[in-house]
Amino acid sequence: MATVQSKRHHTVLWIVVTCVLAFAASFAFFAFVPPPALSQAQLNGASATDIYYRNGQKMGTINQNRQVVSLDQISPYLRNGVIAIEDHRFYEHSGVDIVGIGRALIADLTAGRIVAGGSTITQQLAKNAVVGDQESLGRKIKEAYYAMQIERLYTKDEILDFYLNQVYFGHGAYGAEQASQTFFNKPAKDLTLAQAAYLAGAVNAPSALDPLVSDPKLQEQHRAQGMQRRDLVLDAMAEYGYISQQQADQAKQVTEAQMHFNPHPKPVMVSTALYFVQQQLSNEVQSISSERFNVGGFKIYTTIDSSLQNTAESTYRDTFPQLQSGKEVKANFEKNPTNPAYDSAMVVLDAKSGGVRSIIGSYDFLDDPMAGLNMAYSPSAHMPPGSSIKPITVYGPAIESGKFTAASKVSDARGLKAEGGVVNNYPGESYKTWVPITEAIAESYNVSAIWTLQQLGAQVGTTYAERFGIPLTDVDKNNVRRLALGDLDKGLNPLQMASAYTAFADNGAMHPAYVIEKVVDDSGHVLYQHHTQSKQVLQPTTAYVMQYLLHKVITEGTAAGAGFPKDWAVAGKTGTSSPPEEQSGNARASRDLWFAGYTPQLVGAAWTGMRDPKNPAGPLEASSADMAKVVAAVFKAAGQPPAFEKPAGIVEVNGIPFIEGTVPNDLQQQQTLSQQVQQVLSQQQAAQQQQAAGPITGLSATVTSNGGTPAVLLQWQPVALPETRYVVYRATQPDLADAQAIGSTYQPTYVDSTPAQAARLWYFVVAVAPDNTEISRSNAVVVTLGAAPPTIPPSQQQQPPQQQQQAAAQIALDVSLPASGKASTVDLHWSVTGAAEPQRFEVRRNGNTIVQLPAAVHTWRDRTVQPGQAYTYQIVAVGSNGETIATSAPAEVQLPAQTQQKQAASGE
């Protein structure tokens, strides 16, 4: 262990030495190469720049909420307090403090991340004026470069003057004068020692120490931590000789009430969208330098929709607390300024261009739009997307490959293995072996997603993820489990997710997100105009089929409770990631909750969860459907969208879209849906089902008694396929030529209570899959009942007319819900008595025939019902000539409402 620690220390030391040498080389370069000129206007801060919504309405003005005053109009306590806590060697260094930088580098490298600043006041001024906020070694060098230039051109008092008139103190206040007026309702020259020390301390963490934040509990936390920081400033001022220790101790005795915080501060009218625009300027408009932007004087026209942005903000502020399942939002979003645990973010884009229509960067932004990290787009804000990635890496590629269609079935068999071991669905979810792909997507079965990607190949998932702009690391690539379940190494942010989903909304064309439409200078010249550059990542036909599949998520799947109108053209996918069970103590816990959805007009992605996946805070007590509700609120504010446009190359059969070339010709005939599916799927999957199920073995027949009447007890070993139905056949001839189905059961036993009057009877059993495909057949067994009765000549037999046979037939129908309580299926069981022998059965729901079944089938599961709805069923027996033999009495069933959506481990 000592050897390992020694190597680590040597490595850190080597890196520190290298960095110091790099800085030294930079300083040598600065000494001989004249830096570019910095104007006093840049150091004074930018002039006003107006920002506009897409409709031309003014969004706001940046760099306006400050008042510039001379240095002698700022209290000496504040001037000295800032120097003491931020840069106590300010009057000794020449812009860059080598000692401070070395100390910060050691701290940063030891921690493996940036934990200490090391920047002087001059460097901070350079950063605010021309460099920007990006945290990197390159930014540090550039910052030092400009700091040395500033020191050459200006005196220390002038530098301090520039700094104190533009630094951010929190609550929207820039500069000492505006901060003093905002926090204490007095000029900066009149600040007391305690008040000045509080403001000086706030420079380090202005959003976290804002004493005027509107939330009462958060305000209490901010003030308590701000007072602690104030005392540190007072001690630093005493240590460096600006005040005596007695003065510091007396100022520490000033209570919160005696601080006289402004009870009625002017509201900070800054939209979260406005701050996002500020952040994006230098990223999107690279033709204009950051230095020029800082000078200001522009009119910036954006893609933000004022109505949708207002809806998004009001939804988060007023509605979001009620969206949490069973708990108030405060329980999940308790604020801790030094270590905030939970957060949420949302982006809504224009589906045809990628323009940002509304954005919520952080839950903190409701109190201060400039607070904290913008989780909606920041490159360092990475959250595992869970199952919301499945359309991108699994099902979109599956449809485009032609190997799968919207009518395919996929495996959901227990025991499937991938990287890391056996794949599990959501805890408590049953396994069904084979399920329609619509159900696999709507219910977000993990096994189905991984099995499907295994059929395509991991490289396919990698290729499509990169095509959609999903950031992958080496550990993600070609890893089926990570690609199919969204457990990505670095994750992604809502802006990336929304941008990817534009491909599903706009015929396979993906549009990069942007917010700056154009920039105009103060003379009216257009300096920048955005031009959308789309990328075709899917075929239009694939996107259309995916819309059909993802619409099921909204109407009957994991997002069914989100509140989208049922008749809307809307589709989407939920997603959940879970912390390790040993961390949460709960296998059903959630760390990240996602929803990505779209209409032909808008695309939205919303996330909530832990900012830091290593945070020990408890898991979320909510559902990804809660995030779908947030997106639904914004979508509904835009009004009902038009229908999705069907592209050329789509063939619809009974409402199901197929890509031309993936549908057999006979499937396009006007047949019932059940016949179509049987014809296609029986050929594709019969062999797989038979192999998975195995043969029926151990069939035995025993003659017994049923109340004195002979009966035959049949028993056999069941096949290894859940939900298998067994059809029992009986014959009186050894060649089984007259075999007839006498009943069906889901159990491996059956009693023939009315055996035919024959000396010997032959029996065999057929196993039938849930889709009514025969998967296995047993050998025949024979029993002897006794002497056969005398044969009656045909002339003496009574043959009732056909009408009497029909009248004699009766159908008893029983309708029930599954024992699992699932609110989206109905089970039907029926029996037929009388002399009539039907050729087939028709299942009618609310008066319409929805499926036709062979005469041997006496049970069926309806999987196309909606929670909370009532249905009336009837069974009709049809003869060989197409005539109706008998009709059951109507049977009604009321489905319960689906009150809680399920979440799948690693994603819904």
Side-chain angles (χ1 to χ4, degrees):
M1 179 64 69
T3 302
V4 174
Q5 290 179 346
S6 177
K7 289 181 178 180
R8 183 180 301 149
H9 290 154
H10 278 95
T11 300
V12 171
L13 180 60
W14 180 84
I15 295 173
V16 170
V17 171
T18 301
C19 293
V20 171
L21 289 175
F23 271 91
S26 300
F27 297 153
F29 176 77
F30 299 153
F32 296 100
V33 179
L38 278 177
S39 68
Q40 186 168 337
Q42 287 175 285
L43 298 178
N44 275 329
S47 59
T49 289
D50 294 328
I51 312 292
Y52 296 89
Y53 289 108
R54 63 189 296 258
N55 63 358
Q57 177 185 350
K58 190 173 179 179
M59 181 189 301
T61 300
I62 58 177
N63 298 314
Q64 184 187 48
N65 195 28
R66 69 190 185 98
Q67 300 179 43
V68 177
V69 296
S70 60
L71 193 61
D72 60 6
Q73 294 298 304
I74 299 175
S75 167
Y77 292 140
L78 180 56
R79 302 198 305 261
N80 296 332
V82 168
I83 293 173
I85 198 65
E86 291 292 317
D87 183 11
H88 70 274
R89 289 167 44 84
F90 174 67
Y91 287 105
E92 300 172 22
H93 61 68
S94 58
V96 177
D97 187 355
I98 301 297
V99 175
I101 290 177
R103 184 170 56 249
L105 280 172
I106 293 174
D108 293 347
L109 292 169
T110 303
R113 57 191 176 90
I114 296 176
V115 295
S119 294
T120 65
I121 284 177
T122 316
Q123 285 177 272
Q124 292 182 49
L125 176 62
K127 181 186 75 170
N128 294 338
V130 293
V131 178
D133 294 328
Q134 182 182 2
E135 293 290 348
S136 67
L137 182 60
R139 193 271 290 171
K140 286 284 188 182
I141 294 176
K142 190 175 182 181
E143 185 181 280
Y145 184 94
Y146 280 106
M148 294 183 67
Q149 178 197 6
I150 293 170
E151 292 276 350
R152 283 194 185 107
L153 298 176
Y154 301 100
T155 67
K156 287 290 185 179
D157 283 349
E158 287 174 327
I159 293 171
L160 188 61
D161 188 325
F162 291 143
Y163 179 78
L164 289 177
N165 272 293
Q166 67 167 257
V167 70
Y168 184 57
F169 286 89
H171 208 73
Y174 289 87
E177 180 66 19
Q178 186 63 47
S180 183
Q181 294 285 357
T182 299
F183 290 124
F184 302 110
N185 198 27
K186 62 168 56 173
K189 64 182 179 62
D190 296 334
L191 290 168
T192 67
L193 174 58
Q195 292 171 335
Y198 191 101
L199 283 184
V203 169
N204 177 259
S207 300
L209 303 179
D210 180 357
L212 306 181
V213 63
S214 58
D215 181 278
K217 191 168 184 179
L218 194 58
Q219 184 184 98
E220 179 182 353
Q221 294 175 350
H222 280 202
R223 292 188 178 188
Q225 297 214 5
M227 298 288 278
Q228 293 176 7
R229 177 77 176 170
R230 178 202 68 178
D231 293 349
L232 289 177
V233 173
L234 291 169
D235 285 337
M237 293 177 71
E239 179 182 354
Y240 298 118
Y242 292 110
I243 58 174
S244 68
Q245 188 61 52
Q246 182 180 5
Q247 287 178 294
D249 293 339
Q250 289 176 346
K252 289 181 186 179
Q253 300 303 312
V254 176
T255 65
E256 179 183 317
Q258 294 170 336
M259 290 290 292
H260 299 296
F261 290 115
N262 189 356
H264 304 293
K266 183 180 179 180
V268 181
M269 302 302 291
V270 181
S271 166
T272 66
L274 180 61
Y275 184 50
F276 173 63
V277 172
Q278 290 180 257
Q279 293 175 311
Q280 284 294 88
L281 277 174
S282 59
N283 293 335
E284 293 187 18
V285 188
Q286 298 183 4
S287 59
I288 303 175
S289 68
S290 59
E291 290 87 347
R292 178 69 182 88
F293 268 129
N294 283 324
V295 173
F298 297 103
K299 294 184 184 297
I300 299 174
Y301 296 88
T302 74
T303 63
I304 302 293
D305 185 296
S306 59
S307 176
L308 299 188
Q309 181 64 28
N310 290 337
T311 298
E313 293 185 18
S314 63
T315 298
Y316 264 77
R317 182 178 292 106
D318 305 327
T319 308
F320 194 67
Q322 282 73 47
L323 297 183
Q324 300 297 297
S325 300
K327 285 193 173 184
E328 289 188 5
V329 70
K330 298 300 180 185
N332 281 337
F333 289 80
E334 202 68 47
K335 301 298 190 305
N336 180 342
T338 61
N339 188 20
Y342 297 102
D343 209 341
S344 184
M346 176 178 67
V347 173
V348 175
L349 306 181
D350 184 285
K352 304 297 183 183
S353 68
V356 177
R357 292 290 181 253
S358 67
I359 184 168
I360 298 292
S362 167
Y363 191 73
D364 287 338
F365 287 10
L366 301 179
D367 294 315
D368 186 344
M370 287 161 279
L373 187 66
N374 190 325
M375 303 297 287
Y377 95 102
S378 173
S380 60
H382 294 297
M383 296 76 77
S387 290
S388 59
I389 203 173
K390 290 176 181 176
I392 296 170
T393 56
V394 180
Y395 294 113
I399 296 299
E400 187 143 291
S401 71
K403 297 178 180 179
F404 294 84
T405 72
S408 292
K409 286 199 172 184
V410 294
S411 175
D412 186 42
R414 185 189 299 272
L416 181 71
K417 292 183 178 180
E419 298 90 343
V422 176
V423 182
N424 295 314
N425 285 335
Y426 178 70
E429 180 69 69
S430 62
Y431 296 82
K432 302 181 180 180
T433 305
W434 296 102
V435 296
I437 195 170
T438 51
E439 180 181 341
I441 296 174
E443 300 295 345
S444 202
Y445 297 147
N446 289 340
V447 170
S448 299
I450 287 185
W451 179 87
T452 302
L453 186 53
Q454 286 176 339
Q455 310 312 301
L456 300 172
Q459 180 59 44
V460 173
T462 298
T463 298
Y464 274 83
E466 293 177 336
R467 185 181 297 179
F468 275 82
I470 303 301
L472 299 179
T473 66
D474 290 341
V475 298
D476 298 324
K477 294 178 180 179
N478 301 320
N479 185 304
V480 172
R481 184 185 290 267
R482 287 179 175 272
L483 291 168
L485 304 187
D487 186 21
L488 301 183
D489 185 30
K490 297 297 184 182
L492 64 159
N493 58 54
L495 200 71
Q496 292 168 319
M497 179 65 82
S499 181
Y501 265 69
T502 59
F504 298 115
D506 192 22
N507 294 307
M510 193 185 83
H511 307 293
Y514 73 101
V515 71
I516 310 298
E517 198 67 69
K518 68 178 179 179
V519 178
V520 179
D521 66 13
D522 52 8
S523 299
H525 297 121
V526 177
L527 304 180
Y528 169 82
Q529 178 73 58
H530 175 80
H531 298 286
T532 298
Q533 296 180 343
S534 302
K535 178 183 179 183
Q536 196 74 30
V537 298
L538 290 174
Q539 294 298 319
T541 50
T542 302
Y544 189 81
V545 174
M546 287 302 299
Q547 171 269 131
Y548 168 82
L549 295 173
L550 295 176
H551 182 65
K552 300 286 186 181
V553 178
I554 303 295
T555 58
E556 57 192 66
T558 52
F564 290 102
K566 296 295 184 182
D567 60 341
W568 271 30
V570 60
K573 186 71 187 73
T574 56
T576 301
S577 72
S578 301
E581 186 172 351
E582 63 270 15
Q583 177 178 323
S584 67
N586 180 2
R588 300 166 68 93
S590 302
R591 183 182 68 198
D592 299 280
L593 302 174
W594 281 86
F595 176 77
Y598 59 95
T599 71
Q601 297 172 318
L602 298 174
V603 177
W607 161 88
T608 188
M610 299 186 200
R611 290 185 180 181
D612 181 0
K614 298 179 182 179
N615 196 302
L620 289 166
E621 296 289 343
S623 162
S624 54
D626 294 333
M627 300 319 298
K629 293 177 184 177
V630 177
V631 175
V634 179
F635 281 12
K636 285 189 284 188
Q640 182 171 359
F644 286 100
E645 182 179 352
K646 182 168 67 175
I650 288 291
V651 176
E652 290 198 7
V653 182
N654 284 29
I656 300 179
F658 296 88
I659 300 173
E660 284 184 356
T662 65
V663 189
N665 292 332
D666 56 352
L667 187 61
Q668 300 178 38
Q669 304 301 316
Q670 295 302 313
Q671 303 173 13
T672 63
L673 179 59
S674 64
Q675 290 173 327
Q676 296 162 6
V677 174
Q678 288 179 42
Q679 290 172 12
V680 175
L681 298 184
S682 63
Q683 296 176 10
Q684 295 178 347
Q685 300 174 2
Q688 294 174 329
Q689 290 178 331
Q690 290 173 6
Q691 183 177 3
I696 299 176
T697 60
L699 177 63
S700 64
T702 305
V703 178
T704 182
S705 174
N706 181 22
T709 302
V712 178
L713 172 64
L714 301 168
Q715 295 175 301
W716 59 90
Q717 292 296 321
V719 301
L721 182 66
E723 297 190 0
T724 296
R725 183 171 48 83
Y726 302 95
V727 181
V728 180
Y729 287 82
R730 183 179 67 199
T732 61
Q733 301 296 326
D735 60 1
L736 309 178
D738 64 342
Q740 292 184 344
I742 60 173
S744 64
T745 178
Y746 283 93
Q747 303 300 320
T749 181
Y750 184 84
V751 175
D752 182 6
S753 57
T754 57
Q757 296 301 310
R760 305 178 76 189
L761 296 174
W762 283 262
Y763 294 89
F764 64 91
V765 178
V766 174
V768 179
D771 63 353
N772 297 321
T773 302
E774 179 179 327
I775 57 175
S776 183
R777 182 178 291 231
S778 74
N779 295 327
V781 294
V782 62
V783 296
T784 302
L785 296 175
T791 301
I792 302 175
S795 60
Q796 299 180 15
Q797 294 180 8
Q798 299 293 323
Q799 296 290 342
Q802 184 66 32
Q803 291 80 0
Q804 293 179 357
Q805 291 184 24
Q806 293 175 6
Q810 293 184 342
I811 302 176
L813 172 62
D814 177 61
V815 179
S816 62
L817 299 177
S820 64
K822 192 170 184 179
S824 57
T825 59
V826 175
D827 287 340
L828 288 77
H829 303 269
W830 62 91
S831 60
V832 182
T833 58
E837 296 182 359
Q839 182 72 16
R840 68 178 188 274
F841 292 109
E842 294 182 355
V843 179
R844 294 183 180 176
R845 184 179 68 195
N846 296 340
N848 299 315
T849 299
I850 59 174
V851 68
Q852 297 184 29
L853 301 170
V857 178
H858 287 211
T859 182
W860 188 71
R861 174 167 288 178
D862 186 359
R863 302 176 185 272
T864 62
V865 293
Q866 299 293 328
Q869 300 296 315
Y871 297 94
T872 300
Y873 293 90
Q874 284 183 289
I875 303 298
V876 177
V878 180
S880 57
N881 296 325
E883 73 279 10
T884 298
I885 296 176
T887 302
S888 72
E892 296 183 357
V893 63
Q894 172 69 51
L895 273 72
Q898 192 165 339
T899 56
Q900 184 172 359
Q901 303 301 317
K902 297 171 296 182
Q903 308 161 23
S906 293
E908 284 185 349

